[in-house]
Amino acid sequence: MVLRRWLTVLLATASVVAFAAPAVAAPDPVPAPNYAGFRLVKAIPGDPSTPEITLPAGYELVPGAQHQVASRAEYYSFIRGPRSEAVTVTVDWPRTWIGSVIATDTRLAVRRHAGAPYRVSFVVPVTWSTVNANQPTVQVWSMLNDSTASGVHWRIEHNDPDRVAGPWTSVPWPAVQAASVINYMIATEAVLQDSGLAAEARRKGHFFSLMGFETNNVLHPDNPPHWHLAYYPGLTYGAAGAHVPHFWVDAQGKTFYNGMDIQGQGRSRFYAGDPAKIHDPSGALVVTLTIRADGGLDVDPPAGPRYSITAPDGDFSHGVDVSRDGTPWRSVVSQDYVKIGVLVTQVKDHQTTQPHRTTVYRYDALTGVLTDTWPSAG
């Protein structure tokens, strides 16, 4: 009897083992997509329009109005799919001649199709981890000093009215503000050098950052018109304790508001007469920035002297004056010819009888990459 029960249990167990479903291996994880952006630049600006874009199997356009953007001068788009160093994109754009195709800061080789004058193909690397990581494709700026180790990292944004996008399409073109911001930054860079603020930042392994605003990048709707004189207590833009002022400028280029972001503390708001103090992580005072009643800016190093940036005729786009401890010191005028890629700056030193010092920066008008500086920095 016992033997019979034992055999019954054994046979039942064998049956379960024999007919159980086989183990299934877990599927391999689906790799995250990679991204690429490209800008189609018209040979001649015209009414905004949308081209037809053909991609290989497995690739698609990133949806959303912020990823497919048309302006008078260009159309930019982002695609996603498996990582690849060479993905062929074909574009048909009826009645629109494509002059150039840009990816990051490179002009891509373009193949034109016989019998189809408005069709082009090009190869783009799909290697970016996110769309935001590929913002350089749509940004046109020149790095006048690209070393944070120098104590001053700064760039000039080149804003073209034919490239406006996003919120800038519904407001008048900010020509005065764009020119004023460049004058401000040229003057401020001179102040940072002369005052010793740049040297002290360099000694500490910190840096100041000078930046303006851009009018074509809907991934970063950089409005209203403003500029930055920021301080980073480290050698990267991820430095803890960063102070990032946003100086808003009006239709005459006058500064009227400073929204200063302090990492970990949110935004502080300053108006004319309000001293905005920047400290390093140890609590030491770095500099005090105060908007003037005339729309200019006072820059006060801890040990002085005070530098005051003003506009001789009240319009900061025409030029700015800088006084040091109340005495005229420098005058700055500039002109950015964005269509041909030439930025001309003139600086007058009031302490000497020398003429204006003129610097000509030549840059790729479609990428902002500097190609020549005269006189040469070397």
Side-chain angles (χ1 to χ4, degrees):
M1 185 70 174
V2 174
L3 179 60
R4 184 182 301 167
R5 289 179 180 174
W6 182 83
L7 287 174
T8 301
V9 171
L10 182 60
L11 289 173
T13 302
S15 175
V16 170
V17 172
F19 295 100
V24 178
D28 292 335
V30 177
N34 278 250
Y35 297 83
F38 55 86
R39 283 169 40 217
L40 309 173
V41 182
K42 301 175 183 178
I44 301 175
D47 292 337
S49 60
T50 300
E52 179 183 339
I53 299 171
T54 303
L55 304 173
Y59 294 89
E60 63 178 355
L61 297 175
V62 179
Q66 73 273 33
H67 301 132
Q68 315 292 326
V69 181
S71 67
R72 284 183 49 79
E74 62 190 25
Y75 183 90
Y76 64 79
S77 182
F78 293 87
I79 62 177
R80 66 187 176 195
R83 180 182 177 86
S84 174
E85 295 290 341
V87 173
T88 299
V89 180
T90 299
V91 176
D92 288 277
W93 207 349
R95 296 177 298 282
T96 301
W97 184 264
I98 297 173
S100 300
V101 179
I102 306 296
T104 59
D105 58 2
T106 302
R107 294 181 181 234
L108 300 180
V110 175
R111 181 171 71 88
R112 303 190 184 276
H113 296 252
Y118 302 117
R119 176 180 298 168
V120 301
S121 295
F122 54 90
V123 175
V124 64
V126 180
T127 57
W128 295 85
S129 59
T130 65
V131 167
N132 282 334
N134 193 209
Q135 289 192 54
T137 288
V138 300
Q139 293 163 331
V140 181
W141 60 47
S142 298
M143 301 302 303
L144 299 195
N145 190 334
D146 61 2
S147 170
T148 60
S150 70
V152 181
H153 187 263
W154 71 304
R155 72 186 188 215
I156 299 289
E157 287 83 357
H158 304 292
N159 290 308
D160 182 344
D162 284 325
R163 299 182 66 233
V164 293
W168 298 99
T169 60
S170 59
V171 297
W173 171 244
V176 170
Q177 295 94 323
S180 298
V181 163
I182 293 176
N183 288 334
Y184 262 119
M185 291 194 290
I186 294 168
T188 302
E189 195 272 342
V191 168
L192 294 175
Q193 300 296 346
D194 184 76
S195 65
L197 288 169
E200 179 63 7
R202 185 167 60 248
R203 185 190 68 80
K204 291 180 176 179
H206 300 174
F207 71 98
F208 289 92
S209 174
L210 294 170
M211 296 183 288
F213 66 100
E214 55 186 351
T215 58
N216 70 294
N217 182 3
V218 299
L219 296 175
H220 178 209
D222 207 14
N223 60 297
H226 64 281
W227 64 287
H228 304 276
L229 168 52
Y231 184 76
Y232 291 86
L235 290 178
T236 72
Y237 280 90
H243 288 58
V244 185
H246 297 69
F247 292 111
W248 291 13
V249 296
D250 66 14
Q252 290 182 294
K254 295 179 178 180
T255 302
F256 65 92
Y257 166 75
N258 171 14
M260 184 163 72
D261 294 334
I262 304 175
Q263 188 182 59
Q265 299 181 31
R267 174 162 292 189
S268 299
R269 294 168 173 79
F270 303 90
Y271 299 89
D274 298 336
K277 297 182 180 293
I278 293 178
H279 297 86
D280 69 14
S282 73
L285 179 64
V286 174
V287 67
T288 303
L289 308 173
T290 307
I291 299 172
R292 297 169 53 88
D294 58 17
L297 184 71
D298 287 336
V299 180
D300 289 285
R306 166 172 288 185
Y307 295 80
S308 298
I309 303 174
T310 60
D313 66 354
D315 188 325
F316 286 77
S317 70
H318 295 163
V320 300
D321 288 341
V322 186
S323 65
R324 182 174 58 186
D325 216 13
T327 301
W329 177 58
R330 297 276 171 85
S331 294
V332 171
V333 294
S334 66
Q335 184 68 51
D336 192 13
Y337 301 94
V338 298
K339 295 296 188 184
I340 60 174
V342 175
L343 169 66
V344 181
T345 70
Q346 289 186 318
V347 179
K348 170 68 175 177
D349 188 342
H350 291 279
Q351 308 302 316
T352 74
T353 59
Q354 298 297 317
H356 282 76
R357 182 176 71 252
T358 300
T359 305
V360 179
Y361 300 93
R362 300 183 186 276
Y363 60 89
D364 185 321
L366 300 184
T367 67
V369 174
L370 284 175
T371 57
D372 184 41
T373 302
W374 182 89
S376 172

